[in-house]
Each structure stands twice: as structure tokens, then as C-alpha cells.
Amino acid sequence: MDNSPTALFDSYEQDFKQIIASIREKLEGGDEGERGEQRKAALRRVEMELDEADEMVSQMEIEIQGIPQSLRPSYTTRIKSAKSDLTRYKKLSKDTLASLNRSDLLARSHSPNGGGGGINSDEPYGSGDRTRLLAGTALLEDGSRRLNESQRIALETEEQGADILRSLRGQREQIQNSRDTLSRADTSIDRASGTLKKMIRRMYQQRVVTAGIVIVLILLILLILWIKFFR
């Protein structure tokens, strides 16, 4: 098992590339003869794969926090490239779906049973069909606008999440440094405490020795006085 600090990042990047290759095949290399529900089903699978690719990019952003600073710039560039690919295929998927929906609306408007009003030589579409077509186009434009707004909010949320992760990492390093400092301080205090105990013990020993010397001197003085006055 590879325990290098870049192993997980490389793994997520490889998964991302495989998902993007599958998306590219469906969007750019799909069968031109696909129409209707088959094409919509393919686009639904693309949407799910885009969500998976988005998750892979998020995991890559998390893993880059643990990569050494000396290696991080090249990996940051790779994340930017992945985000660029993801954004491009999200837009391509959205445009393809919108084009397919417009084609469906036009096909229904040309259908003999698709209109509320009649079709004549002066009106290529019935009035009811034209109204529904305009309403559908407006609905698609509104949906596209909301999708773009949701995508913008998602990107902002990702950036905020990355900032929070960086902040938490910095706080964790500060806590670890503080803990190491406290550990060194405890060691120094233990050493100082031991030194003080030795000094106190030596002080008591010196007091005992001094007291013994004083007692001996007093006894000698008393002995000298006794010899001088009583003998």
C-alpha cells in the first residue's frame, strides 16, 4: 500500500479522469441517431457522473491540505485543470439537454395532433402550439439561469469549505505547537523541582553538620572552663 502524502490525491484524480472520459464519450462521441428517451437517459447518466466527478474534486481539495508545501503548487494546478474540465462538461451537458428539449418541443409542434389551434398555409404553427413553445423556451431559460446560480453557489461553498479546512489545519498546528511547548515546560519544571529538592536536602544536611560543630565547640569550651577553674 502506498503511504506517500500524495497517494490519495493521485487515486482521486485517476477516478476523476475515468469519470470525465465516460462523460466525454456520452456527450461528444454519442450516437447521432439517439433521440428522445434514449438520449435523455444518457444525459441523466451524465448528470450522475458529473456529481461523482464533483465529489472527486472535493476530495482532491481536502487531500491537498496534507501535501507538503514544496509539492503543493503542481497539485494546485492539477485541481484547477480538473475544475475547468468539470465546468466545461457541466455546461455542455446543460446545453445538450436544452437543445434536446427544444427539439422535442418543435417536433410536437409539427405533429398533426400537437396543436390546440389549426395549422394552415399562413401559420406554420397553431396559436396554441406557439404559446406552448414560447412558454417552454422561457421555462428552459429560467431553469438554465437557476442552474447557473446553483452552480455558482456550489463553487462558493466549495471555496469556503476549503478555507475552513485550511483554517482548521492551522489551528491544529497551533494546538500541537502549544502542547509541545507545555510538554517542554513540564519537563523543565520537573527538573527544577528536583534541583530544589536536592538543594533543600543539602541545606538540612549542612544545618545538621553546623549544629554538630556548634555543640562540639560548646562542649570543648565547657571542658576548658572546668579544667581551668575546678582543677
Side-chain angles (χ1 to χ4, degrees):
M1 181 177 179
D2 190 353
N3 292 322
S4 66
T6 63
L8 281 175
F9 183 98
D10 293 336
S11 175
Y12 287 129
E13 185 181 35
Q14 185 62 32
D15 292 341
F16 174 82
K17 289 180 178 179
Q18 291 176 357
I19 295 171
I20 287 296
S22 175
I23 292 171
R24 183 187 302 113
E25 181 180 358
K26 291 181 178 67
L27 292 178
E28 298 179 352
D31 185 2
E32 292 296 332
E34 281 187 348
R35 289 294 183 272
E37 292 302 320
Q38 289 183 348
R39 188 59 174 162
K40 287 182 179 179
L43 290 176
R44 284 195 292 270
R45 288 194 295 270
V46 166
E47 288 295 327
M48 290 188 290
E49 289 177 334
L50 285 171
D51 289 340
E52 293 179 11
D54 206 349
E55 178 64 22
M56 291 300 102
V57 171
S58 297
Q59 293 296 330
M60 290 160 64
E61 288 182 327
I62 293 173
E63 291 303 322
I64 199 175
Q65 305 304 319
I67 295 177
Q69 290 288 348
S70 59
L71 301 176
R72 194 174 295 180
S74 62
Y75 286 86
T76 300
T77 301
R78 287 157 68 174
I79 285 182
K80 289 181 179 178
S81 177
K83 284 184 175 181
S84 177
D85 289 341
L86 183 60
T87 300
R88 180 162 63 91
Y89 283 108
K90 280 182 177 180
K91 184 177 184 303
L92 181 58
S93 173
K94 179 189 67 176
D95 292 344
T96 303
L97 181 59
S99 176
L100 181 61
N101 287 333
R102 283 195 295 269
S103 297
D104 287 345
L105 286 172
L106 290 174
R108 284 197 296 270
S109 68
H110 281 291
S111 174
N113 298 323
I119 301 176
N120 52 48
S121 58
D122 296 328
E123 291 284 348
Y125 307 111
S127 59
D129 290 335
R130 186 168 60 252
T131 301
R132 284 194 295 271
L133 180 59
L134 292 174
T137 302
L139 183 61
L140 283 174
E141 291 176 351
D142 184 62
S144 298
R145 180 182 58 78
R146 292 184 180 180
L147 182 60
N148 289 332
E149 183 68 16
S150 299
Q151 183 178 354
R152 182 185 63 79
I153 293 174
L155 291 174
E156 290 178 354
T157 303
E158 289 178 4
E159 292 176 356
Q160 291 175 357
D163 290 339
I164 291 172
L165 287 174
R166 284 192 291 270
S167 176
L168 290 175
R169 182 178 179 83
Q171 291 177 7
R172 183 180 67 181
E173 291 176 352
Q174 290 177 355
I175 291 173
Q176 288 177 343
N177 292 335
S178 299
R179 184 175 61 187
D180 293 340
T181 302
L182 288 175
S183 178
R184 289 193 295 269
D186 287 340
T187 302
S188 299
I189 291 172
D190 290 338
R191 290 177 181 174
S193 177
T195 302
L196 287 174
K197 288 179 180 178
K198 290 180 181 179
M199 292 175 65
I200 292 171
R201 186 164 55 249
R202 287 178 183 175
M203 181 186 69
Y204 284 134
Q205 290 173 352
Q206 290 175 354
R207 284 185 179 182
V208 171
V209 171
T210 302
I213 292 173
V214 170
I215 292 172
V216 170
L217 289 174
I218 292 173
L219 291 175
L220 286 174
I221 292 170
L222 291 175
L223 179 61
I224 292 171
L225 291 174
W226 184 77
I227 292 173
K228 184 177 181 179
F229 292 105
F230 296 99
R231 293 187 64 181

